[in-house]
């Protein structure tokens, strides 16, 4: 633009220079403005620039004044030829806009923001007056500062997030690692860089051999895997892999972001444990048992092996719970669980089935003969719980698989059936399942209703077993034992129907009926015999606790004419240990009237002799389990000796039950045992035969 000479800005005489008359002060302001100022005319010709414009565009002022606006802009921003330059009213203020740039003398683009306005000059010599003032601000340093801040932020985020971040190249070689990765892997970033990421991954979880294939396969998804720490330990992690791409879209590498999921897995395991284990004994529960058993059965079938399911039920456990409280019951169960755990092989599974029932799965039946007695030894060993000396015993039912079934639930059912058979056969033993047993179990269900009917229709009767004084051999009394001859079920033993009566509460009526009938029978028999007899009557816990029971006993005696001193009530230790009831008061009330109290089945229960001294008791009946094993050389004999000595020291008499052999009687007599009862003398007989059994006519 030769017609716009350089010197005119300096205040020359050119008529076209709008600033020709600008006072020096104003000129100085323009020069000092920190933005680049460029005045152009409607054709885009540069008419005025300041010092900052020279710096920004990289052209000396003289050159700039020969240029047009298009020369100062990158191609994409230029105004097409023929169009006139105008000030866009929306661009009056400075403000960043995408892609705005100035073209520098060296060809580089300089990011700028720009404000434009129309210049209205009075006395415009040009007459056109289409001058546009552009204020241009160089954004280079602002953008640089911002980029620096952003990358610092990014860096500090990478440094502080609790994730491991590993960046790799396309081949999976680590190029960067953040502090999270250092902490997780226990290695310095410097030692990680250059290694293949496959060295970090747990080889067990690797699904591809080489790193790049592995990363390519995992890219875009999150998965659980393991990272190998410097010390060799494998940390479970959740890892997400994403691709890093260059500007042009080509693959640059991968970013693997992972976090430690140990705590989560532990929580999951704890939840799993809670759903598969019994919290009180810490044994597997029914759920896990059924899963395990199903698997054991499948393996047994596959290997042609035989396995065993044992169902254990503690004997008389209800007594413990009822009398000592549930917390003691819980402690007993925990102790039993501990003993079972100790007894069991690693291969076996011991589970708590519920209540006082445990199930053991033994995968090889061949071990049974050698482990069975050991199992009973473990479980019948005395235990001291909460200051109570207790002795447990168990009834066990066994079923074999696959012989008795291949379904877990069915096998457990069979073992349960066999367990009931063990209970009926006298407890503290193991019975194997037989198919005939099922009928009995089903029958148990209807037993209660049949018994209710039996009470109404008088199907019950009382039998009498003689009790003999050992010194003289004389029958001094009888124990009354209930009998049931059912029209539909045949003979049902008291071991079966007494527990049902107890559970249903019928025992109160049944017991009262037995007492009444027995008192009548004995009164008649002793009249015929010509000398008084003693009558032993069994009293079950529920009956003992029932309201008005003492009165029932006393009024029955009165009505039948039997002396209270002739009546001996047989109660079990469980009755004594019931702390909720005024046991001692009840016993005293009876004893004050002359009735005597005997402890039945002594030795099998849960109490110690010392414990018994707290109660007014006249007699101990040593359970037949001790008498049965009474071989003179056997280790069990001293127990009887101890009972006799201590009972006598405490002023109690001792009766031995279940005496079947003369040697047993001899032994007992020699040891000072007072009385005996058992098949050696007589089984329980019908009342019409009692007289003869007592040595009468
Ligand atoms: P228990 O009170 O221990 O009665 C003794 C049991 O041992 C009786 O069985 C008796 O027949 C049996 N027995 C007696 N001598 C011998 C012997 O030398 N060898 C063997 N192996 N057994 C012998 P039973 O009559 O079957 O009674 C079983 C249980 O039923 C009784 O045990 C008692 O706990 C309960 N029971 C019987 N009648 C009544 C009753 O009227 N009321 C209550 N509450 N329970 C009763
Ligand atoms: Ca008895
Ligand atoms: Ca007994």
């Amino acid at each position: 633009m030769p017609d716009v000479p350089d010197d005119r800005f300096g205040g020359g005489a050119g008529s076209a220079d709008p600033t020709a008359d600008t006072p020096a002060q104003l000129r100085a302001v323009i020069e000092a403005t920190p933005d680049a100022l460029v005045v152009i005319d409607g054709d885009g010709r540069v008419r005025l620039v300041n010092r900052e414009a020279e710096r920004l565009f990289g052209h000396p002022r003289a050159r700039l004044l020969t240029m047009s606006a298009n020369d100062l802009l990158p191609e994409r921003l230029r105004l097409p030829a023929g169009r006139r330059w105008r000030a866009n009213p929306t661009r009056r203020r400075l403000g960043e806009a995408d892609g705005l740039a100035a073209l520098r003398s060296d060809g580089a683009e300089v990011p700028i923001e720009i404000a434009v306005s129309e210049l209205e000059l009075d006395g415009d010599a040009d007459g056109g007056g289409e001058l546009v003032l552009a204020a241009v601000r160089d954004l280079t340093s602002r953008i640089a500062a911002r980029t620096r801040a952003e990358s610092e932020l990014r860096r500090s985020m990478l440094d502080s997030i609790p994730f491991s971040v590993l960046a790799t190249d396309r081949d999976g070689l680590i190029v960067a690692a953040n502090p999270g990765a250092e902490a997780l892997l226990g290695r310095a970033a410097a030692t990680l860089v250059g290694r293949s990421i496959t060295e970090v991954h747990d080889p067990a979880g690797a699904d591809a051999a080489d790193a790049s294939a592995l990363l390519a396969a995992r890219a875009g998804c999150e998965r659980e895997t393991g990272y190998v720490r410097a010390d060799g330990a494998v940390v479970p992690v959740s890892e997400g892999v994403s691709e890093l791409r260059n500007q042009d879209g080509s693959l640059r590498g991968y970013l693997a972001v992972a976090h430690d999921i140990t705590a989560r897995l532990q929580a999951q395991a704890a939840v799993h444990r809670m759903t598969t284990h019994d919290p009180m004994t810490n044994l597997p529960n029914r759920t896990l048992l059924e899963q395990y058993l199903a698997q054991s059965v499948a393996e047994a079938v596959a290997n042609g092996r035989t396995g065993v399911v044992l169902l254990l039920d503690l004997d008389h456990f209800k007594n413990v719970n009822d009398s000592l409280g549930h917390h003691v019951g819980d402690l007993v169960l925990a102790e039993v669980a501990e003993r079972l755990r100790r007894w069991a092989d690693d291969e076996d599974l011991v589970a708590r089935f519920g209540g006082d029932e445990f199930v053991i799965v033994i995968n090889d039946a061949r071990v049974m003969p050698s482990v069975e007695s050991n199992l009973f030894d473990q479980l019948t060993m005395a235990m001291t719980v909460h200051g109570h000396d207790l002795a447990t015993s168990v009834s066990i039912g066994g079923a074999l698989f696959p012989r008795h079934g291949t379904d877990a639930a069915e096998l457990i059912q069979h073992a349960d059936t066999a367990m009931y058979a063990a209970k009926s056969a006298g407890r503290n033993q193991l019975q194997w399942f037989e198919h005939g047993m099922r009928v009995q179990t089903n029958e148990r269900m209807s037993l209660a209703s049949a018994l209710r009917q039996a009470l109404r229709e008088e199907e019950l009767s009382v039998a009498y077993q003689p009790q003999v004084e050992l010194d003289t051999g004389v029958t001094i009394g009888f124990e009354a034992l209930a009998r049931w001859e059912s029209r539909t079920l045949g003979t049902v033993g008291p071991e079966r129907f007494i527990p049902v009566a107890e559970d249903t509460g019928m025992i109160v009526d049944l017991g009262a009926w037995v007492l009444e009938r027995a008192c009548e029978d004995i009164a008649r028999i002793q009249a015929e015999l010509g000398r008084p007899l003693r009558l032993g009557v069994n009293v079950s816990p529920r009956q003992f606790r029932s309201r008005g029971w003492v009165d029932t006993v006393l009024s029955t005696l009165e009505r039948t004419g039997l002396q209270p001193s002739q009546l001996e009530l047989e109660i079990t230790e469980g009755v004594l240990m019931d702390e909720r009831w005024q046991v001692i008061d009840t016993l005293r009330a009876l004893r004050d009237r002359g009735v005597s109290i005997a402890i039945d089945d002594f030795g099998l229960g849960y109490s110690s002799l010392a414990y018994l001294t707290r109660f007014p008791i006249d007699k101990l009946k040593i359970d037949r389990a001790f008498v049965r094993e009474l071989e003179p050389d056997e280790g069990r004999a001293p127990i009887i000796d101890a009972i006799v000595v201590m009972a006598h020291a405490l002023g109690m008499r001792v009766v031995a039950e279940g005496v079947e052999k003369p040697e047993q009687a001899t032994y007992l007599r020699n040891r000072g045992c007072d009385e005996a009862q058992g098949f050696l003398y007589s089984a329980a007989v019908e009342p019409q035969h009692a007289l003869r059994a007592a040595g009468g006519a």
Side-chain angles (χ1 to χ4, degrees), residues 479 481 538 570 600 621 657:
E479 177 178 0
L481 293 161
N538 294 287
E570 301 189 1
D600 207 353
K621 296 190 76 175
E657 290 188 288

Side-chain angles (χ1 to χ4, degrees), residues 470-471 622 626-627 630-649 652-656 662-676:
L470 272 167
D471 269 351
I622 298 175
F626 295 95
V627 175
L630 203 56
E631 302 298 335
D633 307 325
E634 282 259 342
R636 208 105 197 215
I639 294 182
I640 286 201
D641 296 354
I643 293 173
V644 172
V645 170
M646 289 182 72
H648 284 170
M652 303 175 194
R653 286 168 70 80
V654 182
V655 186
E663 310 90 82
Q664 292 167 339
T666 308
Y667 181 92
L668 290 162
R669 189 167 47 238
N670 290 343
R671 297 296 151 142
C673 182
D674 303 289
E675 298 168 24

Side-chain angles (χ1 to χ4, degrees), residues 545-558:
R545 294 198 298 252
S546 64
R547 286 169 60 87
W549 177 68
V550 173
D551 291 340
T552 306
V553 172
L554 297 176
S555 66
T556 305
L557 284 171
E558 220 161 291

Side-chain angles (χ1 to χ4, degrees), residues 6-15 17 19-21:
D6 163 39
D7 60 354
R8 282 155 69 192
F9 180 65
S15 61
D17 185 350
T19 58
D21 300 322

Side-chain angles (χ1 to χ4, degrees), residues 101-123:
L103 187 63
R104 230 172 39 195
S105 58
D106 60 3
E109 285 190 17
V110 180
I112 54 166
E113 56 182 345
I114 193 165
V116 290
S117 45
E118 217 133 300
L119 276 186
E120 280 163 30
L121 298 177
D122 295 335

